[in-house]
Amino acid sequence: GQQVMQIPQYQHVQEGEDFTTYCNSSTTLSNIQWYKQRPGGHPVFLIQLVKSGEVKKQKRLTFQFGEAKKNSSLHITATQTTDVGTYFCAGRVTGGGNKLTFGTGTQLKVEL
Amino acid sequence: GAVVSQHPSRVICKSGTSVKIECRSLDFQATTMFWYRQFPKQSLMLMATSNEGSKATYEQGVEKDKFLINHASLTLSTLTVTSAHPEDSSFYICSAGGPQGLGTDTQYFGPGTRLTVL
């Protein structure tokens, strides 16, 4: 079945450092979404990417969708303590309806 | 807009009892709702897709008779964990397909229900 892997699994950074998480799917995706889950909380939708090679920005966050639509990345510039949480990508396969397959997640910790 | 609630937020029960979890879309109608399970420090695993007025579609390995899903209205889906056992202890999260205008592909998640079976 479809697998969506993320690396790294964990990342500790000092506040102000940059952070990147990478998402790789075993199959081509129709679109990919990114979610953030704070400790003890539920996933919160961040963004959706649909087009091959698409790049979107939200303030300090930059999201990319690979040309082959099998990988994606999330980059955070100058991390802040409020960025702490686990970041999940979630992919939708063509013909799979609305079903999302979540990635393994990257847990980010930011230290002062 | 696009708020999803879950009730209860936390439940502790004895082994062998059944537990019902409700998922409601508060300010929009959701023809499709999804039920996930998340073990500590792990990802969300889709259990089933719930469509209003029809039978749920379960993912491979998820027992239909163990996890009963009912989607009786456009704003309510329920998950009943029947004869719960300690290995069923987990964080159960529902999501609802977003309303038109906010992106029909978007799923809005409820706050989750933490189930502990003693």
Side-chain angles (χ1 to χ4, degrees):
Chain A
Q2 183 194 14
Q3 290 187 326
V4 182
M5 305 296 292
Q6 281 181 253
I7 55 170
Q9 189 175 4
Y10 303 99
Q11 184 84 61
H12 289 201
V13 299
Q14 295 288 323
E15 189 177 42
E17 292 181 338
D18 292 354
F19 159 77
T20 304
T21 171
Y22 299 91
C23 173
N24 292 286
S25 170
S26 58
T27 56
T28 303
L29 303 170
S30 61
N31 59 54
I32 195 160
Q33 299 179 0
W34 283 90
Y35 292 81
K36 177 183 179 181
Q37 186 176 22
R38 293 180 183 273
H42 62 280
V44 174
F45 174 79
L46 295 177
I47 209 161
Q48 176 173 275
L49 304 170
V50 179
K51 299 176 182 177
S52 169
E54 187 171 14
V55 177
K56 286 189 177 180
K57 292 189 176 184
Q58 286 181 351
K59 298 182 180 178
R60 294 179 295 105
L61 278 61
T62 302
F63 304 84
Q64 288 188 313
F65 199 10
E67 294 290 340
K69 301 184 77 172
K70 294 181 71 174
N71 55 71
S72 181
S73 65
L74 159 59
H75 179 81
I76 302 178
T77 304
T79 55
Q80 301 174 358
T81 54
T82 53
D83 295 326
V84 166
T86 300
Y87 292 85
F88 292 100
C89 62
R92 185 172 280 121
V93 178
T94 303
N98 273 339
K99 191 167 73 172
L100 285 173
T101 299
F102 275 77
T104 47
T106 296
Q107 184 180 355
L108 173 63
K109 292 190 176 181
V110 181
E111 299 173 353
L112 291 172
Chain B
V3 178
V4 177
S5 70
Q6 266 184 257
H7 178 80
S9 58
R10 188 180 296 268
V11 59
I12 301 173
C13 68
K14 293 181 179 180
S15 185
T17 60
S18 293
V19 176
K20 179 185 281 190
I21 303 170
E22 293 186 349
C23 176
R24 293 180 186 273
S25 56
L26 298 184
D27 50 3
F28 67 99
Q29 293 183 329
T31 54
T32 305
M33 289 185 173
F34 303 87
W35 287 96
Y36 296 85
R37 181 166 53 183
Q38 186 178 34
F39 291 108
K41 297 194 181 297
Q42 292 189 21
S43 186
L44 283 76
M45 298 301 296
L46 180 65
M47 299 174 66
T49 302
S50 168
N51 294 295
E52 186 267 337
S54 64
K55 291 184 179 180
T57 303
Y58 290 81
E59 294 300 300
Q60 192 173 9
V62 178
E63 299 175 57
K64 301 178 184 180
D65 297 331
K66 173 77 173 175
F67 300 99
L68 301 178
I69 292 173
N70 183 280
H71 194 159
S73 77
L74 288 172
T75 59
L76 173 65
S77 176
T78 61
L79 167 68
T80 301
V81 183
T82 61
S83 187
H85 292 286
E87 58 266 28
D88 298 323
S89 298
S90 186
F91 191 47
Y92 292 87
I93 312 175
C94 72
S95 71
Q100 294 286 345
L102 291 180
T104 55
D105 288 342
T106 303
Q107 292 186 21
Y108 293 89
F109 284 81
T113 296
R114 191 163 301 282
L115 170 64
T116 303
V117 185
L118 303 176

